[in-house]
Amino acid sequence: MHNEIYMQRCLDLAIRGIGMVSPNPMVGCVIVHNNEIIGEGWHEMYGSAHAEVNAINAVLNRFGENAASILKESTIYVSLEPCAHFGKTPPCADLIIKHQLKKVYVGCRDPFPAVAGKGIERILENGIEVEVGIKENACLELNKRFFTRVLKQRPYIILKWAQTKNGFYAPLDRSQNWISGKAAKNLVHKWRAEEDAILIGKNTALIDNPSLTTRNWTGKNPIRVVVDRNLDIPKHYNLYNNEAQTIILNANKTDISNNIRFISIEDMDYYLPQKILYQLHLLDIQSVIIEGGSQLLNTFINEGLWDEARVFTSPKNWENGLFAPIIKQKPLENINVGKDILSIYKNTK
C-alpha cells in the first residue's frame, strides 16, 4: 500500500505539467527515506529539468552535505521509466546511478525507442534494484497522449461538441446559436489549455468567427488548426490575429507569415483525416481537440480516428436543426456541468 501511495503522489505531481511539457511525457517523482517523502518534483516545462532531477535537487538543497549519504539510503518513485538518452537534458538513469539510490520503483515503461527499457536496464546493470508496474494502468492513462504519438504516429484525438436534448447540433440555417451553458464553456477553455492544438473546419470558422483561445481560463493557447481548402476565411477574422499560432490546411499554399503557417495538402478529397494527422504529427503536435463542424467530426468518427469524445447535452429542445454526430456506444460516464450533461466516450477499437 505504501508503494501505491507514493506512486499516486508521483501522478499528482506529474499532472501539473499538463499542457506545458508536450511533446514530452508528464512525469512525477518522489524520494522516500525511512517512510518519509524527503524530495519531490515533476517535469514542469518542455526543455527544462526532468522530474527525477527536480526531486534529487530538492534533497540536495534540503540536506546539504548530508544529502549524499541520505540518498544512498533512499528509494525513488517515478511514474515513467527514467530516460537513458541525451535529449534536451542528460539521462535521468545516469543521475540515479550517480547518487546510488537504494531502489527504484517505476510506474510504467517508456515506449519511446531511445528509452524503451534501456533506462531500467542501465540502472539494473549498476546494481540498483528496480520494480516496475506500480499503479501501471493509472500511469499509462496519464500519458495517453504521449503513448499515442509514439506508438501510433499521430496525435491523441479528442472530439468535442454540444447538442440539444433532442439531438440537434446547429440551426438549419447554420447561424450561430449557443447550446451549452457558461460552466461548460469555462471547462472547454480549461481543456484548450491542456492540449496542443484545436481543429475546426472552414464553415465553423465562417459562422462563429471563433478565437479558439483560453480566454476563460489561465493557461497557454492551443495551436489553432483550420481546414480551409480554398482559403475562403477573410484575413480580418479572429483566426488570423496574433493571439496564437495558427495552421491553415489548404489545397494551394505552403508558406509562413508571422504566426500563421499555411500547409498545402494534395488531393483533399481522399484520406483527409489521415493527411491532417500526418501533418500534425510532423509538427510534433501530441494532442488535438476537434471542435467541428459536424461534417469534420463525422469524417473522423467514420474513419475510427478518435480516442476520446466529450459531448455536452443541453436541457434545451429545438423544433428542428442539423443533427449532431452519433457515437454508437454507451458513454463511460456522465457528469453534470451546470445545467448540461457531459458524456465521456473512449474509442476501444
Side-chain angles (χ1 to χ4, degrees):
M1 285 300 297
H2 283 150
N3 288 340
E4 293 199 353
I5 290 170
Y6 294 136
M7 190 58 70
Q8 182 59 52
R9 179 59 181 164
C10 291
L11 292 168
D12 294 342
L13 292 166
I15 196 67
R16 297 181 184 183
I18 192 166
M20 303 303 297
V21 301
S22 178
N24 284 352
M26 293 176 282
V27 184
C29 178
V30 300
I31 298 172
V32 177
H33 182 261
N34 291 338
N35 295 318
E36 176 191 353
I37 294 178
I38 60 170
E40 57 185 30
W42 68 95
H43 186 28
E44 299 177 16
M45 185 171 292
Y46 176 68
S48 67
H50 288 187
E52 299 94 319
V53 175
N54 289 329
I56 288 174
N57 282 342
V59 175
L60 296 174
N61 292 333
R62 178 179 176 184
F63 294 100
E65 60 184 19
N66 296 320
S69 60
I70 291 173
L71 283 169
K72 290 179 182 179
E73 299 171 353
S74 301
T75 55
I76 185 169
Y77 293 77
V78 60
S79 56
L80 184 68
E81 176 180 359
C83 61
H85 67 296
F86 282 88
K88 295 283 184 181
T89 60
C92 291
D94 289 355
L95 186 67
I96 291 169
I97 293 164
K98 173 186 174 181
H99 290 285
Q100 299 174 31
L101 281 104
K102 187 168 59 176
K103 186 171 182 177
V104 183
Y105 290 94
V106 175
C108 63
R109 295 177 182 270
D110 188 339
F112 186 63
V115 184
K118 299 180 180 70
I120 292 170
E121 182 181 357
R122 187 178 299 180
I123 293 168
L124 287 170
E125 287 174 347
N126 282 270
I128 299 173
E129 188 178 354
V130 179
E131 184 174 335
V132 182
I134 311 298
K135 292 186 74 69
E136 183 174 30
N137 289 337
C139 292
L140 292 170
E141 174 67 16
L142 171 75
N143 277 310
K144 57 193 176 185
R145 300 163 181 81
F146 174 73
F147 294 137
T148 298
R149 182 177 71 87
V150 172
L151 298 174
K152 297 184 178 182
Q153 286 80 55
R154 64 163 176 80
Y156 185 85
I157 303 164
I158 301 168
L159 310 180
K160 172 264 165 184
W161 71 86
Q163 61 189 28
T164 64
K165 189 175 181 180
N166 54 345
F168 293 119
Y169 172 87
L172 286 175
D173 63 2
R174 298 180 182 272
S175 61
Q176 186 181 62
N177 194 331
W178 290 105
I179 295 175
S180 54
K182 183 178 180 181
K185 184 176 182 179
N186 290 342
L187 182 56
V188 168
H189 283 226
K190 175 179 181 291
W191 292 342
R192 290 177 181 177
E194 295 173 347
E195 310 304 335
D196 284 359
I198 181 168
L199 170 67
I200 62 169
K202 177 193 73 175
N203 289 336
T204 298
L206 290 174
I207 293 166
D208 295 342
N209 189 17
S211 294
L212 303 183
T213 59
T214 57
R215 301 179 303 285
N216 293 11
W217 198 262
T218 300
K220 67 169 184 59
N221 291 322
I223 298 171
R224 304 176 294 199
V225 185
V226 60
V227 182
D228 184 10
R229 181 187 300 226
N230 297 314
L231 299 177
D232 294 323
I233 300 170
K235 295 292 179 64
H236 66 271
Y237 269 43
N238 291 329
L239 287 172
Y240 278 96
N241 66 29
N242 61 4
E243 292 180 357
Q245 294 184 57
T246 302
I247 297 171
I248 312 290
L249 302 173
N250 67 94
N252 306 307
K253 180 179 180 180
T254 296
D255 192 17
I256 297 177
S257 177
N258 297 320
N259 62 311
I260 312 296
R261 179 191 290 262
F262 298 90
I263 297 178
S264 175
I265 295 181
E266 185 177 351
D267 201 352
M268 297 180 76
D269 291 321
Y270 298 97
Y271 303 107
L272 182 59
Q274 291 86 347
K275 291 174 181 177
I276 291 172
L277 296 178
Y278 175 70
Q279 292 296 334
L280 299 186
H281 179 69
L282 289 179
L283 295 171
D284 266 343
I285 291 174
Q286 189 161 258
S287 62
V288 58
I289 302 174
I290 302 178
E291 285 207 0
S294 59
Q295 181 178 346
L296 187 64
L297 287 162
N298 277 319
T299 300
F300 278 83
I301 291 171
N302 293 338
E303 293 289 341
L305 283 171
W306 62 281
D307 298 290
E308 187 177 332
R310 303 172 182 176
V311 182
F312 291 103
T313 301
S314 164
K316 300 175 184 177
N317 280 308
W318 290 353
E319 290 186 5
N320 53 45
L322 301 173
F323 284 107
I326 296 175
I327 293 178
K328 296 178 181 178
Q329 65 185 62
K330 292 183 178 180
L332 288 182
E333 58 181 328
N334 294 306
I335 305 164
N336 290 321
V337 180
K339 294 181 180 181
D340 304 309
I341 296 174
L342 170 62
S343 299
I344 305 292
Y345 301 83
K346 293 289 181 69
N347 189 357
T348 56
K349 295 181 180 180

